[in-house]
Amino acid sequence: MNGRTERLSGWGRYPVAECIVKRPGDAESVPPLLNRLPMAIARGNGRSYGDASLAPDATVDLRRLDRLIDFDPASGCLTCESGVLLADIIDAMLPRGWFVPVTPGTKLVTLGGMIASDVHGKNHHVAGSFCDHVEWIDLAIGTGEVLRCSPCEHADLFAATCGGMGLTGVILRACFRLLRVESAAVRQRIVRAATLADAFEVFEASLDWTYSVAWIDCLAQGRHLGKSAIFLGEHALPDQLPHARRAAPLARHTRRTKHVPFDFPTFVLSRPSVRLFNHLYYAVQRPRDAIVDIDPYFYPLDAVHDWNRIYGHSGFIQYQCVLPLAESEMGLKRLLREIAAVGEASFLAVLKRMGPASFGMLSFPMEGYTLALDFPANRSSFALLDRLDAITAAHGGHIYLAKDACVGAKSFASGYSRLDEFRTVRARYGLDQHFASLLSRRLEI
C-alpha cells in the first residue's frame, strides 16, 4: 500500500502540512502497516481543528474502517470500527430508538476521533464525556500487536487513550453504550441572560435539565458583559410532539444543506459585522419553549457545508478553555474583557457548564465552565491567544487539545497534572517510538 504526499489541515485550515498519507482498506491491515512506518498518527474525518491529526512522515487515514459490527439491544452496546462516522451511527440507530449518550457539536466525526478527543457535549454535567460510556477499545500499538483495553484490562492504556489524541496507538474497533430515546426531537427552552452573572444563575438553576448550552456575545462590554442566550433541552416524549408527528416519533425531518462556495473576504468578520450579527441573533432568541428536531439542536452548523471557509483562505483558530467552578466567573470576566477589547471574536461563541473531571489522563473536562470561540488565524489573534492562555492558567484552567493549534509546551504542561503519568504509559508500551503528531511535537509530549 503506497502512500502519497498531500497537503492536510484540521477543520480550522491552520496550520497546513505536507503529509505522507496511508489509507488502509480494513482493520486487519493496520497492525502490519504500523510496524513498517516511521512515527505515525491516525486521522479520521479531519474535524479536530488544529494539528492533532497531522504527521508529515505518516498520517494514517482510517475512513475505510467504517463498519457497524454488532449491537446488543438488551444492553444498548454497539460495536463499530473506528472510522465510522457519528452521522452513520445516528442514521442506523435513531430509527430503532437509540441515540449516542454524549455528542459533540458535529456529527461529521469518526468514532475513533471521539475517543481520542474524549468529546463532551451539552450534557457533561449529567453524563460525563464520551469515554465514560466506552466498554472497550481494540488498539494497535505499532509493534504488530493489538491490545484489548478497558477499565479492567490494560486499564492504564485505556485511560491514556481516552483523550490521548492518538498518541497511544491506532483505535481499530470500540464498543460503547447507547442511550434509549422515544423520539427524534428535543423539548427546548430558550432563556436570555443580560450578563454573565445572570447566565451563571440560569445554568446553576438548570442542572436538572439534561442538556444546556449558551451562545454568548463576546463583543458585549460593560454592563452587558456576558450577554447570552441559553438553550436547555430534553429528549421529547411521543405525547409531547405535535399531533402530526406522534404516529412516527422517531422520524427525522430532513434539512436542506447550504454550501459556502468560496473563501470569504476578511471584512465579513470585521467588528461591525460581528456586532450586528450578535445584536440580531440575541434579539431573535426570544424566551420560549418549543419542540425541535435533534439535528438543529445538536448540530446546527452541519447544515452549512464547508462553513470553515467563512474565515477566508488563511483559516482560523478555535480557542476552548475550561476553568474550575470556583474560578469560572472571575476568570471568564477577564477573558471576555480581553476578547471584547480586541474585537476579533467570531459570532460562534459557546459557553457550557461542565461536570466532574473525566478519568482520561489528558481528557479536557473538569467541573466548571468552558468557553469556545473562533479567531481568524493572523498575528493579532496569536498575540491575543497568548494573553488568554495566561489568564486561563492563572485561574487553574486549561485548553482543549482537539481545538488547539497554538499553545506552547509550558502553558500546556501547567494545565494537565497527569501529563507525566501519560508519558510514563507511552514509554512503558513503547508508544513514544511509534506515534507522534505536529501537536505532540509542539507540546513536547
Side-chain angles (χ1 to χ4, degrees), residues 320-323 363-366 392-393 396-400 411-412 415-416:
Q320 183 167 5
C321 65
V322 61
L323 302 178
S363 290
F364 170 70
M366 69 165 68
T392 296
H398 56 237
I399 52 85
Y400 189 17
S411 293
F412 158 69
Y416 283 86

Side-chain angles (χ1 to χ4, degrees), residues 36 187 194 259 329:
R36 299 193 303 269
R187 177 168 58 88
H259 294 261
E329 186 167 0

Side-chain angles (χ1 to χ4, degrees), residues 393-407:
H395 289 274
H398 56 237
I399 52 85
Y400 189 17
L401 297 183
K403 305 293 181 69
D404 176 56
C406 295
V407 75

Side-chain angles (χ1 to χ4, degrees), residues 336-386:
L336 290 171
R337 288 176 183 139
E338 193 72 42
I339 292 163
V342 173
E344 288 202 346
S346 79
F347 47 84
L348 303 174
V350 173
L351 180 69
K352 286 186 288 194
R353 171 65 153 88
M354 308 291 278
S358 300
F359 69 88
M361 294 175 188
L362 296 186
S363 290
F364 170 70
M366 69 165 68
E367 186 161 21
Y369 282 83
T370 177
L371 175 69
L373 69 163
D374 304 330
F375 300 98
N378 59 37
R379 188 173 300 176
S380 174
S381 295
F382 299 150
L384 171 62
L385 292 175
D386 286 340

Side-chain angles (χ1 to χ4, degrees), residues 26-36 140 142-146 172:
D26 52 57
E28 289 66 34
S29 63
V30 173
L33 169 67
L34 294 176
N35 202 25
R36 299 193 303 269
T143 60
E145 189 177 4
V146 177
L172 301 179

